[in-house]
Amino acid sequence: VLKLFKLLHRTRQEVFKNDTKALEAARQKINEEFRNNRHETSEEKINELLKIASDVEVILRTSVIQAVHTDSDKIVLIPRKDLLQDNTPYLDKPTKK
């Protein structure tokens, strides 16, 4: 449980780097969820909560991207290296293998 708690906070720090509002909101939410369930004794319920927390960590790490307003009508995306993937070029007529 503690390992997952620390992992969520590390992921939060990486995903929301330089965004103090998002960092604080995520910190409060993570702490609140763990605090609300700290007296849980049912092994089944604990495993379910750990699965949910693990899924949240994966979603944060793989799906969230930062954006910064540069002008009134422009937004600059700031992708992390782990979000970048090789792009397969589009082909009108796929070749047969």
Side-chain angles (χ1 to χ4, degrees):
V1 173
L2 185 57
K3 183 178 178 181
L4 186 55
F5 179 78
K6 289 179 178 181
L7 179 62
L8 277 167
H9 278 289
R10 276 189 235 112
T11 302
R12 164 191 73 90
Q13 289 173 337
E14 184 179 325
V15 169
F16 300 117
K17 189 185 300 184
N18 301 323
D19 185 348
T20 55
K21 287 183 182 181
L23 280 167
E24 181 61 21
R27 184 187 70 78
Q28 288 178 0
K29 186 63 175 174
I30 292 167
N31 291 345
E32 175 188 331
E33 290 297 323
F34 275 82
R35 193 177 305 115
N36 289 343
N37 295 296
R38 72 177 169 205
H39 297 298
E40 187 61 54
T41 56
S42 166
E43 187 174 333
E44 184 179 308
K45 180 69 173 170
I46 290 171
N47 288 334
E48 180 184 329
L49 290 168
L50 289 174
K51 173 75 171 117
I52 291 170
S54 178
D55 290 347
V56 166
E57 192 277 331
V58 169
I59 289 170
L60 280 173
R61 186 171 25 85
T62 60
S63 301
V64 176
I65 188 166
Q66 284 184 305
V68 177
H69 288 276
T70 56
D71 289 328
S72 62
D73 61 342
K74 291 185 182 178
I75 297 177
V76 174
L77 299 179
I78 306 170
R80 294 180 315 281
K81 289 185 182 191
D82 55 339
L83 285 177
L84 299 176
Q85 299 176 357
D86 288 335
N87 194 5
T88 305
Y90 174 76
L91 297 175
D92 278 337
K93 297 179 183 177
T95 58
K96 292 185 180 182
K97 290 184 179 181

